[in-house]
Each structure stands twice: as C-alpha cells, then as structure tokens.
Amino acid sequence: MPNIVLFSGSSHHDLSQKVADRLGLELGKVITKKFSNQETCVEIGESVRGEDVYIVQSGCGEINDNLMELLIMINACKIASSSRVTAVIPCFPYARQDKKDKGFFDIAVDNLYAEPAVLQWIRENIPEWKNCIIVSPDAGGAKRVTSIADRLNVDFALIHKERKKANEVDRMVLVGDVKDRVAIMVDDMADTCGTICHAADKLIDAGAVKVYAILTHGIFSGPAISRINSAPFEAVVVTNTIPQEEKMKACPKIQVIDISMILAEAIRRTHNGESVSYLFSHVPL
Amino acid sequence: PSPPLPSTPSPLQEGLNMNHTKGGLVIFTANSHPASRELGKRISERLGVELGKVQVYQEANRETRVQIQESVRGKDVFVIQTMSKDVNTTIMEMLILVYACRTSCARSITGVLPYFPYSKQCKMRKRGSIVSKLIASMMCKAGLTHLITMDLHQKEIQGFFNIPVDNLRASPFLLQYIQEEIPDYRNAVIVAKSPASAKRAQSFAERLRLGIAVIHGEAQDAESDQVDGRHSPPTVKTTGAIHPSMEIPLLIPKEKPPITVVGDVGGRIAIIVDDIIDDVDSFVAAAETLKERGAYKIFVMATHGLLSCDAPRFIEESAIDEVVVTNTIPHELQKLQCPKIKTVDISMILSEAIRRIHNGESMSYLFRNIGVDD
C-alpha cells in the first residue's frame, strides 16, 4: 500500500505546512532553486518510488515561475517511478482567460468548494447573520450567492453594470433591498478590487448598515490594498489559497479563513479511495 | 536535387514576393520585453515583411496575456522568441501564442527559438527531471509543427520532439569574424576549456587550418560533476539481501588532476570556443592558465551569450581580451557594462531559413561545410 508523500512548491509554503500538520506528516524533502540564468531547478530529496505523491502549488505570485516549477516537480516524480502524482492547486492560474472545467482535462479533476468554510465563518463571526443579505457584485455570481443565501435562509441581492452610452463609464445598479441590513458580498476572486469597492459604496448609499466582502482567492494586485483601505468595508475576508501575511500587515481590514483542512481531507480521501463529494457541503473538523 | 543557386538572392527582392505565395506568411514575436524583440525586427526587415500585430503583456496579477490582432487562418505562422532573463515567462508567452494560432486555424506554426531554453537540463541528474524534454512536449502539445533553433547544447534534444527540428549553426559567422577581425589569426590556437568542448574546437580548427589545445583539470563546472557516473538514484545496500559473491563493484571516484593544457599555446593567440557562455568562472580560469602558458591574446567565441549576473564585471577584470557572441540572446546591458563584449549578427541565416521553409525549398545550402562534430 503506497504512502502519501506531500511536497510543497515555493508559492505557498505556509499552507502546505498546515496541510501536512493536519495529515500528521512531514513535508517531503525537495530543493527548488533557480540557476543564475533564471532557469528553474528541482531536485527531489527522497525516494518516491511506488508512492502516492501530492504536490501543493498555488497559482499566485510569479505565476509562470510557479507553474513551471510545478510541471518540473510532477515530471521528476513520474520519472522517479512514483505510483501516482496529484497536483493540489488551491488557486488555479489562468482561470479567467478561458473557463476551465472538467472537460478540458484528460485526467480526474476535483474542484473543491470554499462554500462550507464561508458559511461557517459567517455563522461564527457575524452576529447579525440571521438578518443579513447576501450580495453578488456582478450578475455572473448570482448562482453562487443564491446557494449561500438559501443555506443561511436569508435574502439575496445583486449588482449589475449598465452601460448607457458608448463612451460612458458603466453604471452600477442594485437589484434588491439592503436598507438597514448587514450586507455580505460574495465573489470568487479579489484582484484589483475596483468592482467590489464601487459596490460597497453603492450598498452604503442604499442604506446598508455594514458591508462585508467574502472572496475565495485574494489576489490583491495593483491598487487593490489602497482601494480597500479607503472603502467602507467592515471586513474583507479571503481564504488562504494565496499567502496573505504581507497584505494583512498593509490592510487591517483583511481577515483569513483557513482552508487547509479541506485540502488535507481531500488528500486523505483521494488516497484512501473514499468519496470526496462529502466535502462539497461539509467542513471537516 | 535542389535547383542551382546563381548567387545569394537579394532578400528584399524575395521578400516582396513573400506575401503572395500559398496563403501568406505571418511573423510574430511573443516577447513582452522590447529588447527581446530586436532580433525579430531584424529578421522581418530582411524578409521585407511587417511583424504581425500581437499584444503580449503581464497583467497586474502576473498572468501573461496574449492577444493576436490579425487573422492567421490558413497562413504559415512563424513565432520568433528570444529568451530573456524571465525564462519561464518567455516560455509561457510563446506557448500561449502558439496555442492561440492553432485554435485560430493557422496552416502551420514554426517556432524560431535561437536559444533553446533549459538545454542544460537535458540529462538525468540524481532525482531531477529532464526539463528540455518537458518543454519539448509542451511545445508540441501547444501546436508547434516545426522548430528552428541554433547550436543546441546537445544535439540529442532534437530527438525529444516529434516534429521536424532544424538545428542551424552559428559557426560560419564566428569563423568569418575570426578571419576578418583578428589580424594574425593564422598564429592562433583553438582552445577547448574542457574536454567536453574538444569536438567543437576541433571542427573550428579544421576549417581554419589551425591547431587545437585542450584544458583538463580541476576547473570543471558544477553541472558536469552530476551528469557523469550515476544516472539514477543510488540503490540502498540491504545487508543479507545480496549474495556476498555477487556484490556490485563500486565505482572508483574520479581523481581531479591539476590543471593541464594539452597542446602548445606559447607565443600564440588563444581562441576559446564554446556553445554557451553563462557563468564565466571557468572561462576566466582558463584564460589565466593560458596566459601563464604564454598566450599573448585571449578570445572567447560563443554562440549564446547568456552572461548572467556579474559575468560582465568578471570578464572586464580578467585576462580575456575579447568575448564574441551572437545576437541569439539580447545582451545590450552586458555590453554597456563590459566593452570587451562584441556581437555577431546571425539574423541572416534565420531569415533565410524562414524563407526556405515557407517556399518549400531545400535547407541543405544552410548546412554546407558543417562537419559532423559541429
């Protein structure tokens, strides 16, 4: 019976360590470095022959470098006769350039959901959650938002962009009533944060008492941090699919939900051949 | 048999006919860095063709985005990509552009990579990965139908591809430089700084009718250590499992002899030739040795001038008189830091290769006078 060997790429060592701790394992020994000509070099430091290998690498930071590092590590493990190699990619890069779904891969894909962790956070951290309203900052996120609203048994609202004339900036229109309510915006990623900051202003103008934002992937590139600091958010909550320590120092409104237990449980279940779909609606303890 | 060639055809004349043949030709460079687009511009000028309109840039979140702004349907696409210091990003830019052309129904996609990346990681080292094989697979998967490159570090890399690969040579240009720019070249000796480059030195020396010298000894670069000997992880010796009389003989560790120069360089010009000049420690050490043995001028000729980190400074302070590289890799910054670095332009052979491939002509003219060992 092969053992689990867990390797970490250099993109998010912290999360990999948390996952390893939950699985009761040490991270596998691997050296990743760059030569002086900036070419990536990977050397696996222990035997993986016949083992079940998992490599944790998130699509964040220097994405092309991290992607190449991941590919080389996978290649090295396969050449070293591992039994199976699984890539654990918390934030999948290039996901917005073309929609990635099961049909694009020749191999098994498990797309896990942060939703159970988000629901748990809301119940534990927002006292007024029973009377809140879940808001989608764009029309595309309606399905995601209604799913959460239904599970909490609360209302939802959405904001959509309306372009009046060719050269005019898009106008944001709120559909739904947020007066005197705590508004919780939910989306999958926070990149430059232009949209959600505008949306927050809109919600306050429409009478919301407090505005939270909960986003799975906190990319926060460009002017994102300064925009959030000057926006009327109570808190901006992201998961740790992407390292957030530096950003939290620059912006006290950012809070982090740990999803390492979801990844660890997915790894454990995959290794034991158990169903992973339990994780789509439950947060492991 | 290829048609007889009267004289070198005028590139501009040929170029004017280019766009009207067989569905047309598009030349792209997928480099986002302006300095890296220089070679592509030169090649397209020689061919008399405008560079294809494409936007390549890095988004705020560091993802690469490529947007083609003209139609490539049914055309022969050539993607010229030079390696910059962000190797992984450059590779990604190229893959995205090639894939975009494939999904836009280009008739053929030829990659022109004068320097093939990760070519030094082409052998198994301990528990590593053969990265150049990985890159080759990625490029073929993205949709590349043909590859033009120059002076591959190991010719066997051609075998990693399941598409045709043309490995052009820069040696005719370097030889021409030696004959035209080094006045007393007939008093020179071609030097190999380690036994690995002896074959290359030999092929240069033959064509110039000069002698060779080979340096052997302690100054080996770090990578050659790990390439020889064990090619896969060592077996763990389990006591009792192996019959004593069947013990596998241990490999005797190599002795590193002190630096020796095989061949005479006293009172001569020394010309060190190699395919890549990257970390210059070994070149500087070789130059020292050659100076001690009596060489009065020392040149280094290499096809690919990677010249990473502090290489220009080390060269400036060393006994090397001149470093001559081709423009397969942009090195303007390094030239500013070190006036000893000179450039040889090889855009002519790349544009000629593109022209011949597009017109379906023979490429053998480009390989005349190239020996087996070059």
Side-chain angles (χ1 to χ4, degrees):
Chain A
M1 169 73 172
N3 298 317
I4 298 179
V5 181
L6 187 67
F7 289 112
S8 172
S10 41
S11 63
H12 199 352
H13 194 86
D14 189 50
L15 179 64
S16 312
Q17 187 61 60
K18 287 198 163 81
V19 172
D21 291 341
R22 290 203 184 256
L23 287 168
L25 298 170
E26 295 279 331
L27 278 176
K29 291 186 206 22
V30 61
I31 300 172
T32 56
K33 61 175 200 239
K34 278 185 154 191
F35 288 120
S36 52
N37 60 7
Q38 301 304 303
E39 285 181 4
T40 307
C41 171
V42 168
E43 236 174 72
I44 312 284
E46 53 185 77
S47 174
V48 297
R49 192 176 287 269
E51 309 282 41
D52 196 8
V53 176
Y54 294 83
I55 304 174
V56 181
Q57 180 85 310
S58 200
C60 56
E62 275 302 327
I63 292 183
N64 294 329
D65 285 340
N66 289 331
L67 196 56
M68 192 56 100
E69 197 185 78
L70 173 63
L71 291 171
I72 297 176
M73 282 175 80
I74 295 172
N75 199 229
C77 289
K78 285 222 101 99
I79 294 181
S81 306
S82 58
S83 156
R84 173 171 70 169
V85 181
T86 304
V88 181
I89 308 175
C91 180
F92 196 90
Y94 292 97
R96 279 177 303 170
Q97 293 200 27
D98 39 75
K99 298 282 169 217
K100 284 260 176 285
D101 64 16
K102 255 186 150 96
F104 283 94
F105 286 89
D106 294 331
I107 51 166
V109 173
D110 282 313
N111 185 10
L112 303 172
Y113 296 96
E115 192 180 308
V118 167
L119 290 166
Q120 187 180 48
W121 193 91
I122 293 176
R123 282 192 290 255
E124 289 175 2
N125 292 278
I126 301 182
E128 318 92 330
W129 70 267
K130 292 206 177 130
N131 197 31
C132 71
I133 181 158
I134 314 288
V135 184
S136 172
D138 60 53
K143 239 177 79 169
R144 184 184 308 120
V145 151
T146 49
S147 170
I148 294 184
D150 289 346
R151 287 185 211 273
L152 292 173
N153 202 14
V154 295
D155 294 330
F156 81 94
L158 68 87
I159 294 175
H160 78 269
K161 285 187 187 162
E162 204 181 71
R163 183 164 288 172
K164 296 194 75 184
K165 290 180 201 164
N167 292 334
E168 264 189 25
V169 172
D170 299 350
R171 205 166 63 101
M172 285 188 137
V173 177
L174 173 63
V175 177
D177 184 18
V178 300
K179 199 161 184 323
D180 300 327
R181 306 279 278 271
V182 169
I184 307 178
M185 259 199 286
V186 175
D187 206 351
D188 59 348
M189 24 184 120
D191 192 358
T192 50
C193 296
T195 309
I196 57 165
C197 289
H198 269 129
D201 289 330
K202 203 88 195 154
L203 291 168
I204 295 286
D205 288 341
V209 167
K210 281 189 204 171
V211 179
Y212 290 85
I214 306 187
L215 315 129
T216 310
H217 304 298
I219 302 170
F220 296 134
S221 58
I225 298 292
S226 58
R227 280 184 180 157
I228 293 180
N229 276 331
S230 35
F233 285 112
E234 189 70 21
V236 173
V237 188
V238 293
T239 69
N240 58 352
T241 50
I242 295 174
Q244 298 297 337
E245 274 196 28
E246 289 301 313
K247 324 246 176 69
M248 284 170 79
K249 285 184 199 158
C251 177
K253 293 186 196 177
I254 297 179
Q255 296 183 34
V256 178
I257 301 176
D258 180 22
I259 46 87
S260 61
M261 75 297 258
I262 301 181
L263 295 174
E265 191 59 14
I267 290 174
R268 200 192 61 77
R269 283 169 178 258
T270 307
H271 179 67
N272 291 335
E274 293 168 23
S275 158
V276 171
S277 53
Y278 177 80
L279 298 173
F280 295 164
S281 44
H282 295 84
V283 187
L285 292 161
Chain B
S2 48
L5 297 146
S7 52
T8 347
S10 149
L12 202 53
Q13 258 181 325
E14 295 299 315
L16 287 170
N17 294 327
M18 293 287 276
N19 290 325
H20 301 297
T21 53
K22 301 185 196 176
L25 161 86
V26 185
I27 302 184
F28 288 120
T29 70
N31 288 102
S32 52
H33 206 245
S36 308
R37 291 203 280 264
E38 270 312 302
L39 184 62
K41 277 194 204 147
R42 271 193 204 218
I43 293 174
S44 66
E45 270 162 21
R46 282 188 188 269
L47 289 167
V49 173
E50 292 259 341
L51 274 179
K53 292 185 205 23
V54 63
Q55 272 205 319
V56 182
Y57 57 95
Q58 250 61 46
E59 293 190 328
N61 65 1
R62 309 299 301 141
E63 277 185 14
T64 300
R65 201 175 267 270
V66 172
Q67 278 163 348
I68 306 180
Q69 288 160 331
E70 57 182 81
S71 170
V72 297
R73 187 176 288 270
K75 302 222 174 121
D76 285 340
V77 176
F78 289 83
V79 181
I80 302 174
Q81 192 74 346
T82 45
M83 291 297 128
S84 66
K85 68 174 177 55
D86 276 326
V87 181
N88 297 327
T89 298
T90 316
I91 293 172
M92 203 63 188
E93 286 165 354
M94 192 207 179
L95 290 172
I96 297 178
L97 179 57
V98 168
Y99 187 66
C101 291
R102 186 174 87 144
T103 49
S104 307
C105 303
R107 192 168 81 118
S108 71
I109 309 169
T110 303
V112 182
L113 268 73
Y115 173 66
F116 189 75
Y118 285 92
S119 46
K120 283 192 173 184
Q121 294 194 48
C122 61
K123 291 211 159 82
M124 256 311 263
R125 280 168 45 238
K126 297 190 181 173
R127 288 194 195 90
S129 145
I130 305 178
V131 189
S132 38
K133 165 71 178 162
L134 174 65
I135 309 269
S137 306
M138 282 160 65
M139 288 187 181
C140 293
K141 194 89 182 169
L144 214 57
T145 58
H146 196 130
L147 178 73
I148 302 175
T149 182
M150 184 170 267
D151 278 331
L152 276 171
H153 185 56
Q154 295 287 339
K155 294 202 202 71
E156 290 75 16
I157 293 177
Q158 286 178 89
F160 290 156
F161 291 86
N162 54 13
I163 53 171
V165 176
D166 283 306
N167 182 21
L168 301 172
R169 306 300 203 279
S171 54
F173 294 88
L174 296 174
L175 288 165
Q176 188 181 41
Y177 184 93
I178 294 175
Q179 287 166 319
E180 290 176 2
E181 306 287 336
I182 302 180
D184 18 322
Y185 82 89
R186 282 174 233 278
N187 191 29
V189 173
I190 308 292
V191 179
K193 74 163 167 62
S194 72
S197 28
K199 281 196 335 191
R200 178 178 296 265
Q202 158 97 15
S203 81
F204 269 67
E206 260 176 11
R207 284 177 277 178
L208 292 168
R209 292 183 236 287
L210 297 172
I212 68 165
V214 180
I215 301 178
H216 182 48
E218 280 169 26
Q220 306 276 4
D221 62 349
E223 281 174 43
S224 61
D225 274 352
Q226 296 170 348
V227 166
D228 56 74
R230 299 164 299 149
H231 278 233
S232 52
T235 49
V236 175
K237 206 153 178 252
T238 48
T239 48
I242 306 174
H243 196 274
S245 67
M246 282 183 61
E247 286 222 1
I248 302 162
L250 285 170
L251 203 54
I252 305 170
K254 289 188 185 173
E255 293 271 325
K256 290 249 174 65
I259 299 186
T260 45
V261 179
V262 178
D264 185 20
V265 296
R268 308 267 199 166
I269 299 174
I271 305 178
I272 306 175
V273 299
D274 213 332
D275 55 346
I276 298 174
I277 174 166
D278 187 9
D279 284 322
V280 296
D281 298 342
S282 48
F283 288 94
V284 166
E288 273 308 309
T289 309
L290 291 167
K291 200 115 205 149
E292 284 168 23
R293 305 298 159 102
Y296 66 89
K297 242 185 167 204
I298 299 171
F299 290 82
V300 175
M301 320 266 316
T303 307
H304 304 296
L306 278 140
L307 301 165
S308 315
C309 304
D310 287 323
R313 188 166 59 86
F314 291 142
I315 295 173
E316 190 65 19
E317 296 166 2
S318 72
I320 301 173
D321 289 290
E322 212 172 85
V323 171
V324 183
V325 292
T326 71
N327 54 352
T328 50
I329 298 177
H331 52 272
E332 287 309 309
L333 198 58
Q334 287 90 332
K335 277 177 89 164
L336 287 173
Q337 294 171 329
C338 173
K340 290 184 189 176
I341 301 174
K342 305 276 188 285
T343 312
V344 171
D345 179 22
I346 43 81
S347 59
M348 184 199 306
I349 194 173
L350 290 171
S351 54
E352 188 57 17
I354 292 175
R355 197 190 62 77
R356 283 170 185 255
I357 288 175
H358 177 60
N359 292 338
E361 290 171 23
S362 162
M363 294 273 275
S364 56
Y365 182 75
L366 303 176
F367 293 95
R368 74 198 187 294
N369 295 335
I370 304 290
V372 157
D373 291 329
D374 186 359

